[in-house]
Amino acid sequence: MENKLCRAGKIVQITPKAASVLICLLDKSGEIVSKDHILDHVWNGLHVTEDLVREYIFDLRTAIGDDAKQPAYIETVRGKGFRLIGKVIETALDGPNAQGPRASPQDQTPNIAVLRPIVHGDLHTIGDRFAEAVIAGLVSHKYMEIVSRQSSFAVDPTRELSQVAGELNAQYFLESSVARFDSRTQISVHLIDGQSDHHVWADRFELVDDGEVELLAAKVVNAISGWQGELHLAEYKQGARKPPQTLSAFEHFIRGCDLELNFDTESVKRSLAHLDRSLELDPNFPRCLVMKAIMLQWSYDVYAQKDPFILEESAAAMAKAFILNPRDPLISALIALQRAREGDLAGARESLEHAVQTCHGDADACVCVATSLCVISGDFSRARDMFDLALRLNPLPPGWYRFVEARIRFFFGDYARSVAASRSGPRRVSAIIYRCLSHVMLEEYAAARTAYHDLQTRYPGFAFDFYADYFPIVAKGARAHYDNAVERLFQNALQNEDATPI
């Protein structure tokens, strides 16, 4: 099957998952098909939520122009499931006799099987708690699929994983072992490529007391997942060895995240090209939409021509991501910034509070929540605590955490750490801004002047006021602190230069 729909002479590309859901409905045309039945047949053996069924039903309706309130093709039967009521014919677009395998839902996203830990001594309860917490944490990342606990725990650890991989449809395995040495309990973790049997990542954690099991599980989840986690790094390396035309939507997304991004025009353009291709293959990929929205904002910074349409396109991508997955705390934190930018402060605070309540196991989300707390609510202390939580969840954070930290430390008044954070991460516009303003607050005016000229050189046309309005900094205390630092910059560091406050 080619994952295409033909309606009124118009061909529409759909994702393999959406195609598999449609086939499931087609096999029982006219009958009510429950969500459980669709989950069993499309995500057989994988631990996913029934929300995915609704998402792909929405995708199908969008592709064929169907209306959920007055359906012509797919009817929702409240409390029971869905029914295909319109005439849909399964055929091949390249000829009446062309045949092909049905699309697998695993074609797009990586699958992980979390194996039952190997336990030394009387530590079975700790081992199972740890593995189950890892499974629960990974399931929340909807761009990956997790083999069900029942299936993965049944794997014989003495068998070759390359053999088991085919049975479980697993690309990766997470092995772990629990042992006690004297009074110390250690948990060793290994992420393994199921096809090559090569180790992708490994680490060892010490468990001080049994109450830390869930925290250690969260550290493992965040090390694997996230925009620059070990899974992304492994997929990034594999994608680099493939011809571009063979990459899946997820692989283009990984390339779009660009682990080597230099924040210059060419690297941003390259990332946007991959993200656009990913969304062509899977138009309803929430995290890809988020990454595109962010990359568009970065492109506005680095492009010489400041086209307002770029910012409009960024806002549209973020809005669609929120519609597709309003429960994602990272998306909620970023949509809070967008609502604040549009003047909807009540809506911004509502989205931010939802993100605060739901982000605690997701380090990337905690970082985004922390920065939103600074500029929307002006709660600098809670923002600092949230960022520190992110560092506990991800002790080896990616570089982009640091330019966010520079902002948070500035608003908290920890200017020396703001400067240090800005220097340890990428030379992103916000890193240079808060390095400059932190030097001002430390009365290090020569260093502030150097940072200001670096800002103007790397980002021509940069304006402090525009940045504060677009970012946006809407909390009164935060904006007053920012404006005061900018004023001191021009009065003290640049007083003998031909510069005006902007």
Side-chain angles (χ1 to χ4, degrees):
M1 193 176 68
E2 299 182 32
N3 307 322
K4 295 179 181 178
L5 291 173
C6 182
R7 177 174 177 263
K10 182 179 180 181
I11 296 176
V12 180
Q13 181 77 45
I14 59 175
T15 66
K17 288 188 183 70
S20 297
V21 171
L22 180 58
I23 288 293
C24 196
L25 296 175
L26 187 60
D27 287 343
K28 291 181 174 291
S29 184
E31 301 178 22
I32 297 174
V33 183
S34 69
K35 294 175 186 175
D36 288 341
H37 179 84
I38 295 174
L39 287 171
D40 287 343
H41 284 72
V42 177
W43 286 274
N44 182 30
L46 296 176
H47 189 88
V48 297
T49 69
E50 63 179 31
D51 290 343
L52 282 177
V53 176
R54 287 193 290 269
E55 289 180 12
Y56 286 103
I57 291 293
F58 174 83
D59 291 352
L60 289 171
R61 283 176 171 148
T62 300
I64 60 180
D66 203 15
D67 186 346
K69 295 181 180 179
Q70 296 180 321
Y73 291 95
I74 302 174
E75 177 188 17
T76 299
V77 182
R78 188 175 296 276
K80 295 183 178 180
F82 305 94
R83 175 164 47 202
L84 188 65
I85 58 177
K87 186 177 182 181
V88 178
I89 301 173
E90 184 179 5
T91 185
L93 294 176
D94 291 336
N97 299 318
Q99 296 287 330
R102 290 184 177 181
S104 165
Q106 288 80 37
D107 287 345
Q108 295 290 316
T109 56
N111 310 325
I112 301 178
V114 180
L115 304 183
R116 191 168 197 172
I118 298 172
V119 176
H120 303 280
D122 188 21
L123 298 169
H124 292 280
T125 300
I126 289 177
D128 285 353
R129 275 178 59 197
F130 172 76
E132 288 166 0
V134 169
I135 291 172
L138 291 174
V139 165
S140 67
H141 294 273
K142 292 190 176 182
Y143 55 77
M144 63 179 73
E145 292 170 338
I146 315 303
V147 176
S148 69
R149 175 188 182 280
Q150 182 178 4
S151 299
S152 61
F153 274 28
V155 169
D156 181 353
T158 64
R159 293 184 61 192
E160 292 287 339
L161 291 183
S162 58
Q163 298 176 355
V164 180
E167 298 174 10
L168 295 182
N169 288 323
Q171 294 169 257
Y172 298 95
F173 290 89
L174 192 71
E175 291 185 330
S176 59
S177 62
V178 185
R180 180 169 287 134
F181 301 94
D182 297 327
S183 59
R184 297 176 295 109
T185 300
Q186 286 188 346
I187 299 180
S188 297
V189 186
H190 304 264
L191 182 64
I192 300 171
D193 187 320
Q195 302 301 317
S196 65
D197 207 26
H198 292 162
H199 279 68
V200 174
W201 168 77
D203 207 341
R204 180 179 296 150
F205 302 91
E206 185 170 315
L207 188 67
V208 177
D209 61 68
D210 293 356
E212 289 189 342
V213 170
E214 282 69 26
L215 175 60
L216 291 188
K219 288 183 178 180
V220 170
V221 170
N222 283 283
I224 294 172
S225 60
W227 280 331
Q228 295 187 10
E230 298 298 334
L231 179 67
H232 277 211
L233 180 59
E235 292 284 306
Y236 186 88
K237 291 178 178 177
Q238 290 187 23
R241 296 191 290 266
K242 295 181 178 180
Q245 63 271 20
T246 66
L247 298 181
S248 69
F250 182 77
E251 289 168 327
H252 276 293
F253 166 64
I254 294 296
R255 301 299 296 172
C257 292
D258 196 346
L259 305 182
E260 302 168 0
L261 186 67
N262 293 318
F263 296 100
D264 57 26
T265 301
E266 291 306 313
S267 62
V268 169
K269 283 183 177 179
R270 185 171 58 248
S271 288
L272 281 170
H274 279 294
L275 295 171
D276 284 340
R277 181 56 181 150
S278 176
L279 291 170
E280 287 177 13
L281 296 171
D282 188 352
N284 298 318
F285 188 168
R287 281 287 174 106
C288 187
L289 286 162
V290 170
M291 195 65 219
K292 180 178 179 179
I294 292 172
M295 196 65 67
L296 284 168
Q297 292 176 23
W298 290 345
S299 74
Y300 188 87
D301 291 333
V302 300
Y303 289 177
Q305 298 296 323
K306 306 298 184 185
D307 186 351
F309 176 74
I310 293 176
L311 301 182
E312 294 175 10
E313 189 179 1
S314 172
M318 188 66 73
K320 183 175 181 181
F322 183 70
I323 290 171
L324 290 171
N325 193 1
R327 290 175 293 280
D328 185 329
L330 185 147
I331 296 176
S332 293
L334 295 175
I335 207 71
L337 290 172
Q338 184 161 309
R339 287 176 170 173
R341 184 182 307 119
E342 295 166 352
D344 180 11
L345 297 186
R349 294 188 183 102
E350 180 183 349
S351 295
L352 177 56
E353 190 57 36
H354 172 266
V356 168
Q357 297 301 322
T358 58
C359 75
H360 293 280
D362 185 334
D364 287 358
C366 286
V367 173
C368 294
V369 167
T371 196
S372 295
L373 282 168
C374 276
V375 298
I376 293 175
S377 68
D379 193 340
F380 308 140
S381 180
R382 190 160 61 148
R384 181 203 56 182
D385 292 345
M386 190 65 72
F387 186 84
D388 288 345
L389 172 60
L391 295 181
R392 289 199 299 276
L393 293 171
N394 194 354
L396 297 173
W400 69 270
Y401 278 31
R402 296 308 179 189
F403 59 71
V404 176
E405 182 181 13
R407 177 188 303 124
I408 294 167
R409 302 299 182 191
F410 167 80
F411 282 114
F412 190 74
D414 193 347
Y415 305 121
R417 289 190 67 178
S418 177
V419 170
S422 73
R423 293 190 181 280
S424 60
R427 294 175 70 189
R428 173 80 179 92
V429 61
S430 57
I432 306 175
I433 289 170
Y434 291 105
R435 181 194 314 157
C436 176
L437 299 183
S438 291
H439 279 309
V440 169
M441 301 306 288
L442 291 168
E443 298 185 357
E444 298 170 348
Y445 297 128
R449 187 161 50 250
T450 299
Y452 174 77
H453 289 309
D454 186 18
L455 186 62
Q456 291 295 314
T457 300
R458 290 182 62 86
Y459 301 100
F462 169 81
F464 281 105
D465 282 350
F466 177 83
Y467 175 85
D469 290 339
Y470 181 75
F471 183 66
I473 305 174
V474 295
K476 291 183 179 179
R479 185 59 184 261
H481 188 47
Y482 176 89
D483 288 343
N484 175 54
V486 171
E487 183 178 359
R488 291 177 63 176
L489 168 69
F490 285 93
Q491 287 182 349
N492 297 289
L494 304 173
Q495 73 274 32
N496 295 322
E497 299 192 14
D498 184 16
T500 56
I502 53 175

